[in-house]
Amino acid sequence: MPGEKIEKCFPRQELTDRAKVDFVESTPIRFYIRTAQQVFKQARIYHNEGDLQTCYILYMRYANLVITELKRHPEFNAPENKASIAALKKDALVAMNEIGYLNPILDKKYDDYKEHLRKRAEKQQLAQAREASLQSEASRQQERLAKDQERFWANNQPAQDWSLFKALEGVPGVNTTQPHHQHHHHQHHQEIQEFQYPEHVQRQHQSQWATPTPTIRQQPLIPTPTGTPPALPRKPVTNNAPKLPPKIFEDDVHEFSQGLRTMTVPLRLLDRFLNIVRPNTIKKLETCGILAGVLSRNKFTVTTLIIPKQTATSDTCSTTNEDELFEFQMERDLMTLGWIHTHPTQTCFMSSVDLHTHCSYQLMLPEAIAIVCAPSHEKDYGVFRLTDPPGLQVITQCRQKPLFHQHPGENDIYTDACDQGHVELVDLDLDIVDLRSK
């Protein structure tokens, strides 16, 4: 019988605490606008899939970002941001309505969950108590049996002068005359001679078809005590024992309940990207692309590689005409899941520029990844993310002006997202869109 599947629930205050936003005023406001758009999109996905707790967290996070945090940004009143912020505020009203709708539902879910835990604990205690009682009764019966057997053997010891001849006295057809013992090697032969068969057995052996009587080797005879041994105790009856409660699979898979959500990346993405950007690599120019995809059942999947218009040097690359990129993703309902870029002249690592660039992506989405390709070196690619903590906090608080600079604790700032991380490289189809040619 399959186990009962139970969703783990949390009090609404704890869900609200998880909706807090890490806001850094030095981060360009366009990234927070994109973050808000992605959070609202995720909230709708989780709502449609029935994960109301994660839906609530994301709607609360969206409301916090749009209503409370964005107005603190220095670029909030800039004319170029007016239309985007107006659209965010409109969706904030939707988010607030959804939060009001979810409040009583989540309160009831949590109350029901607590009642379920209470009943389950009672069933487990009852089952454990009954099992302990049965084991105790079985142990007592075993002790009684051992004592009964000990008394039985103590009261039924065989007599010292017991012999086979005395035991056979009175049996018809058996001569139990005790032979006179001579020297030892004739003893067995004489006992066999004195042993007389009944009459009908004798006639059978005197027939012409009789075969020689086989030699019978004397075996030691073990005396059997007289009397009736005590009856074995009945086995304890366990048919009426209560069934153990079903195994519980607590569904604790919503956002941040079990760490980062899984992200699936097409394995062929790396080779296809390097083939497309080979002309720039030959010229020793960096090239970057955007990893876009979808969220379904608490799992991200990269479905599309977008190569935007950009400028590049041997050490840097920057996207241009970002409105075109955002519009393309909005039309196809694609989320930004990370980015990929080349190091045509360097090894595979995250430079200080890369760390600051990726910080914006990871603020938008904690699972966002950065793929670095270094085709001219032995380790030709890596899938990275900032540690959280301490890497994300170190980069968001960094105010150093030089483009390339060092950070405290360099070895702990970023990590491999594939090696025991949340990223899986799988053989999947991939769409590639090169906006540079448009």
Side-chain angles (χ1 to χ4, degrees):
M1 176 179 176
E4 183 182 358
K5 198 170 185 178
I6 301 298
E7 179 187 7
K8 186 175 183 180
C9 297
F10 299 88
R12 190 154 50 87
Q13 183 58 51
E14 184 172 341
L15 299 179
T16 301
D17 292 341
R18 295 186 183 193
K20 293 179 179 179
V21 177
D22 294 326
F23 188 81
V24 181
E25 296 179 8
S26 60
T27 301
I29 196 170
R30 69 179 186 275
F31 285 102
Y32 283 115
I33 293 174
R34 288 288 290 156
T35 298
Q37 293 170 344
Q38 292 214 139
V39 169
F40 191 79
K41 185 191 301 287
Q42 292 181 64
R44 289 187 302 172
I45 292 172
Y46 280 109
H47 199 173
N48 292 335
E49 293 180 350
D51 187 347
L52 301 184
Q53 294 190 99
T54 301
C55 171
Y56 179 87
I57 292 173
L58 293 170
Y59 275 136
M60 284 291 296
R61 184 173 301 158
Y62 180 85
N64 288 337
L65 178 57
V66 174
I67 298 174
T68 305
E69 301 294 344
L70 270 186
K71 62 185 180 183
R72 295 168 42 204
H73 200 281
E75 302 172 24
F76 179 77
N77 294 317
E80 62 269 21
N81 298 322
K82 185 176 180 179
S84 297
I85 292 175
L88 295 182
K89 289 181 177 180
K90 182 178 179 180
D91 286 338
L93 296 177
V94 176
M96 294 303 296
N97 288 334
E98 292 294 336
I99 290 170
Y101 166 76
L102 291 172
N103 281 339
I105 296 177
L106 294 177
D107 288 341
K108 186 177 186 306
K109 281 175 65 73
Y110 181 63
D111 290 340
D112 292 344
Y113 178 67
K114 289 193 299 182
E115 179 64 15
H116 161 77
L117 293 181
R118 186 189 64 78
K119 290 181 178 179
R120 186 179 70 176
E122 288 181 354
K123 288 181 180 180
Q124 290 176 339
Q125 291 175 356
L126 179 62
Q128 291 171 356
R130 184 61 183 270
E131 181 66 20
S133 176
L134 292 174
Q135 291 179 355
S136 177
E137 177 61 24
S139 176
R140 287 194 295 269
Q141 290 190 6
Q142 289 295 330
E143 292 177 359
R144 288 195 296 267
L145 173 61
K147 291 180 180 180
D148 290 345
Q149 290 178 336
E150 183 179 349
R151 285 194 298 269
F152 170 78
W153 291 111
N155 296 332
N156 293 275
Q157 293 292 336
Q160 295 295 329
D161 57 349
W162 184 93
S163 69
L164 174 63
F165 299 100
K166 289 185 177 182
L168 294 177
E169 286 183 0
V171 177
V174 178
N175 185 350
T176 58
T177 304
Q178 185 80 15
H180 295 287
H181 296 283
Q182 299 178 2
H183 41 81
H184 180 73
H185 68 277
H186 291 297
Q187 178 178 354
H188 173 64
H189 177 72
Q190 290 178 351
E191 288 182 359
I192 298 300
Q193 293 293 331
E194 293 292 338
F195 190 90
Q196 301 295 326
Y197 288 99
E199 181 178 354
H200 69 281
V201 178
Q202 288 180 344
R203 285 198 302 269
Q204 179 182 357
H205 280 274
Q206 291 171 358
S207 68
Q208 57 180 340
W209 306 107
T211 57
T213 303
T215 303
I216 301 176
R217 297 183 180 180
Q218 186 178 15
Q219 298 292 334
L221 299 174
I222 301 175
T224 303
T226 60
T228 303
L232 292 175
R234 292 186 302 171
K235 293 182 178 180
V237 179
T238 59
N239 293 337
N240 296 328
K243 294 183 179 180
L244 293 176
K247 186 177 180 180
I248 302 298
F249 299 97
E250 291 190 348
D251 234 359
D252 189 11
V253 296
H254 40 77
E255 189 187 41
F256 304 127
S257 59
Q258 291 183 330
L260 297 174
R261 293 164 287 184
T262 300
M263 182 179 295
T264 302
V265 178
L267 187 61
R268 65 188 70 181
L269 180 149
L270 304 170
D271 290 336
R272 295 185 66 183
F273 174 68
L274 288 176
N275 286 334
I276 293 174
V277 304
R278 188 181 302 276
N280 275 1
T281 302
I282 294 174
K283 298 175 186 177
K284 301 187 184 308
L285 295 175
E286 285 195 3
T287 311
C288 68
I290 303 300
L291 306 178
V294 296
L295 168 66
S296 178
R297 298 297 174 189
N298 214 53
K299 183 176 182 178
F300 295 104
T301 302
V302 175
T303 62
T304 308
L305 169 62
I306 307 171
I307 304 177
K309 291 181 173 66
Q310 56 195 276
T311 60
T313 69
S314 61
D315 299 323
T316 63
C317 59
S318 301
T319 60
T320 60
N321 196 6
E322 292 183 344
D323 290 341
E324 179 187 28
L325 173 62
F326 294 160
E327 182 179 351
F328 179 87
Q329 291 184 244
M330 291 292 289
E331 289 176 353
R332 291 157 181 78
D333 207 23
L334 294 173
M335 300 176 59
T336 300
L337 304 181
W339 63 301
I340 182 171
H341 73 289
T342 57
H343 278 186
T345 62
Q346 302 180 74
T347 58
C348 182
F349 73 104
M350 292 279 280
S351 68
S352 59
V353 175
D354 297 338
L355 294 174
H356 281 272
T357 299
H358 185 67
C359 181
S360 300
Y361 285 92
Q362 199 163 318
L363 286 173
M364 283 196 297
L365 183 73
E367 290 82 1
I369 58 173
I371 301 180
V372 181
C373 300
S376 60
H377 292 79
E378 182 177 352
K379 179 174 172 52
D380 59 353
Y381 79 92
V383 183
F384 305 117
R385 67 180 300 271
L386 297 176
T387 56
D388 184 14
L392 186 63
Q393 291 72 26
V394 170
I395 301 303
T396 55
Q397 295 169 11
C398 176
R399 299 293 182 268
Q400 299 186 60
K401 295 299 182 181
L403 192 61
F404 293 97
H405 53 268
Q406 291 187 333
H407 299 97
E410 288 279 355
N411 295 333
D412 297 326
I413 289 181
Y414 68 96
T415 186
D416 190 326
C418 279
D419 185 14
Q420 298 181 349
H422 69 293
V423 174
E424 299 175 343
L425 297 177
V426 182
D427 188 11
L428 297 174
D429 291 334
L430 177 71
D431 294 328
I432 298 181
V433 179
D434 193 342
L435 296 179
R436 297 176 300 173
S437 60
K438 294 184 179 182

